[in-house]
Amino acid sequence: MPPQTLTEGLNALIRGKAIAPADLESAALFVLDTLACAIGARQTKPAQILGRISPPKVDDVDKSSFYVGGVAHILEMDDLHRASVTHPGSVVIPAAWAFAHLKDLGGKAFLQAVLAGYEACTRVGMAVGKEHYRVWHNTATCGPFGSAMAVAILGELDDRETVWALGNAGTQSAGLWEFLAAGAMSKHLHTARGAQAGLMAARLAKEGFTGPALILEGEKGFFKGLCPDPDPGAVLRDADAPWQLVQTSIKPWPCCRHTHPTIDAAIELHHVLGGEEITQIEVGTYQAAIDVCDRPDPTEPYGARFSLQHCVAAALATGRVISDSFESAARADLADLRGRVSVGVDLQVNAGYPDAWGTVVTVETKSGRRLRAQRRECKGDPGNPVTPNDLREKSAQLMQAAGISAAEVARFTDAVFALLDDRPVRDLRLEHLVV
C-alpha cells in the first residue's frame, strides 16, 4: 500500500467521526446563522449585483451556491473559526444547501454534510501557518476543501472520488487581501467562488474527473505554493477532538471578527465610565488584527468595519455596535474619539493567537482615572457562546431588516430546526434570498 496522503487521511478522519444529536443541533444553529446573514444582505448593492449575474435557482447549483456564498459574507456577521481564521459557514453551507435543494434531500443528511464540510475547511486552515494570512484570505483558499467535502458526503462519493474532489478543490484555491486597501467588493467573491468551486469539484469527481491526491503536501501543491510556514500535521492532529463546528464562533457584531474582543472589552468599560470624558485609548492586540484592522481614519462603511480604532470608539461612546455604527454620520461623530486611539501588539495576547483572539483595552479619563479591560474570549466564542435565543434574535433582526415579515421569519426559523426531524431542505425556500 502506498503511504496515506493528507487528503486520504482527512477523508478517513471525517468519515470515521461519530455524530451525536447535540452535534446536529449545533449544525442547525450555524445553518440558521449563515442563511439569516445571507437573507439580511439581500438588499445591499453587492447582493443586487451578484443576484443579477448568478440568481439562485433550484435546478442551477452553480449559480445558487455562488450567490448564497457571496451574500452570506456581505454583512460581516457570519461565523468564524479562530484556529483556522476561516468563515466556514459562508462557504460550506451554501454549497451543501444548493446541492441538497437540487436532489431534494432531507435535513439530517444535510446537517451531517455541514459538519463534514466545516471539518475539512478548518483542518486545512489550521495547517496553513500564520504567514499565509498576510497575503491570502484563508476562507477563500481553504473554503473549497470544505464545500467539496460537504457535497462529497451528500453526493455519496466513494473514498477515491472524495480525494479527487479535494484535489480539484485545492487547485482552485485563491483569494488575496489586496481588495481591502481599495475597499473593494472582492471579499464576497471569495466566499462565492469558494462555495461554487468545491461543489463543482465534487460533482466532477462523481463523474470520474480525477484530482491530485497530494494537493496539500506535494512538491507543487497547496502548502508549497501558498504557505511560507505550514504545519501539515494539523490536518490530521487530534482526530478524536470534538467536531470543529462546535469550536466555531458566532458573531454578535457586524464587523471584522478581529475587532470583536476589543469591542467586548470596550463595552464593559463604557458601563464603568458613566459618560466621563476620555483622553486616551490604548488597544493591545495580536499582530494579525493589526495587519487587517489598523485603520485610523476609515472613509467608507466597509473600511470602518475593519477599523479597530473606529470599533473601539463606537463601543466606548455608545455601549453597542450595530450596522449604523459604520455609516457616514457615525464616522463623523466618532472622528475625534477615534483620533485618541493608539493600537499596538500586546506580547501576551499575540502569543495566544490564533487559538485565542484576545485584547487589552486601557482608557485614561480627564479626571485621571486609568481603566483596563482584557479579553481572551469574547461573546460568541465557544467559551462564551451565544444562546439559541440570542441567535434567534440576531437572525430575526437580520431578516426583518431585509423586509421579511415577522411571521415569515418565524416560519423560516422553525423550518431550520425541523431539519433535525429530517424535514426536506427545500422547506428553506430560495425566494427569501432575493428581493
Side-chain angles (χ1 to χ4, degrees):
M1 292 289 291
Q4 185 183 57
T5 68
L6 287 177
T7 50
E8 289 170 337
L10 181 61
N11 174 54
L13 183 156
I14 291 171
R15 291 183 185 272
K17 288 184 75 71
I19 300 175
D23 297 321
L24 295 179
E25 291 168 6
S26 294
L29 292 174
F30 281 89
V31 169
L32 176 60
D33 186 56
T34 299
L35 295 183
C37 288
I39 293 168
R42 67 181 193 157
Q43 294 176 327
T44 63
K45 183 177 180 180
Q48 295 292 299
I49 297 171
L50 289 169
R52 288 196 296 271
I53 299 301
S54 189
K57 298 178 181 179
V58 169
D59 61 350
D60 192 334
V61 291
D62 291 322
K63 286 187 174 181
S64 293
S65 61
F66 182 91
Y67 173 80
V68 180
V71 297
H73 200 44
I74 288 173
L75 296 181
E76 291 293 336
M77 288 292 283
D78 50 321
D79 59 32
L80 186 284
H81 183 269
R82 292 173 297 173
S84 64
V85 202
T86 60
H87 303 272
S90 57
V91 179
V92 171
I93 289 170
W97 189 48
F99 189 82
H101 261 263
L102 177 69
K103 300 297 185 181
D104 195 17
L105 301 178
K108 287 187 176 180
F110 169 61
L111 295 175
Q112 290 166 358
V114 167
L115 284 167
Y118 271 61
E119 198 75 11
C121 171
T122 58
R123 283 186 169 275
V124 173
M126 288 188 287
V128 298
K130 290 185 178 182
E131 290 300 311
H132 178 85
Y133 189 69
R134 289 184 180 273
V135 177
W136 299 99
H137 182 202
N138 293 16
T139 302
T141 56
C142 307
F145 292 97
S147 52
M149 190 71 218
V151 177
I153 296 293
L154 287 172
E156 299 181 338
L157 274 63
D158 64 24
D159 291 339
R160 182 176 65 165
E161 292 165 343
T162 301
V163 170
W164 290 345
L166 294 172
N168 284 328
T171 207
Q172 298 178 79
S173 292
L176 296 161
W177 276 110
E178 186 58 30
F179 74 89
L180 195 55
M185 298 179 184
S186 307
K187 195 163 188 264
H188 321 316
L189 183 61
H190 291 179
T191 49
R193 284 290 296 127
Q196 183 191 53
L199 183 146
M200 177 64 75
R203 296 184 76 203
L204 287 169
K206 186 66 174 176
E207 298 299 319
F209 196 93
T210 63
L214 287 167
I215 189 62
L216 290 173
E217 70 270 37
E219 282 302 308
K220 297 183 184 296
F222 181 84
F223 292 144
K224 185 71 71 173
L226 277 67
C227 306
D229 59 344
D231 178 15
V235 175
L236 305 180
R237 189 175 296 139
D238 298 326
D240 295 330
W243 286 94
Q244 294 300 318
L245 179 143
V246 304
Q247 302 301 317
T248 303
S249 302
I250 289 177
K251 285 185 173 183
W253 299 295
C255 45
C256 179
R257 183 60 179 75
H258 289 305
T259 69
H260 283 207
T262 296
I263 290 170
D264 201 16
I267 289 174
E268 175 189 327
L269 293 175
H270 166 83
H271 294 295
V272 177
L273 285 164
E276 188 174 351
E277 184 177 348
I278 297 169
T279 57
Q280 185 176 343
I281 304 160
E282 298 172 5
V283 176
T285 185
Y286 48 92
Q287 184 63 54
I290 294 173
D291 291 343
V292 177
C293 296
D294 184 7
R295 301 181 181 281
D297 191 23
T299 57
E300 34 75 35
Y302 205 64
R305 292 176 191 267
F306 281 79
S307 169
L308 279 163
Q309 291 89 342
H310 183 81
C311 288
V312 72
L316 285 167
T318 67
R320 63 177 188 164
V321 174
I322 58 176
S323 292
D324 285 348
S325 303
F326 307 101
E327 299 302 322
S328 57
R331 294 198 309 275
D333 288 344
L334 293 168
D336 181 61
L337 185 60
R338 196 170 57 233
R340 303 176 198 177
V341 179
S342 63
V343 173
V345 171
D346 180 284
L347 295 179
Q348 184 175 0
V349 170
N350 193 58
Y353 177 83
D355 293 326
W357 293 34
T359 194
V360 179
V361 178
T362 306
V363 170
E364 291 187 6
T365 70
K366 191 173 183 178
S367 68
R369 285 204 297 168
R370 187 173 173 86
L371 307 173
R372 186 174 186 270
Q374 185 170 357
R375 290 291 184 275
R376 180 177 170 83
E377 290 191 322
C378 69
K379 186 174 176 64
D381 284 339
N384 184 17
V386 298
T387 67
N389 283 338
D390 290 336
L391 185 54
R392 281 179 178 269
E393 289 179 8
K394 172 189 171 181
S395 301
Q397 289 172 4
L398 288 169
M399 289 189 278
Q400 287 182 265
I404 307 296
S405 70
E408 271 300 291
V409 167
R411 192 210 66 78
F412 187 87
T413 303
D414 289 344
V416 171
F417 289 111
L419 296 171
L420 293 163
D421 298 321
D422 213 25
R423 290 280 296 277
V425 175
R426 284 190 180 180
D427 282 1
L428 304 174
R429 299 202 302 270
L430 287 168
E431 56 262 32
H432 291 303
L433 283 163
V434 292
V435 177

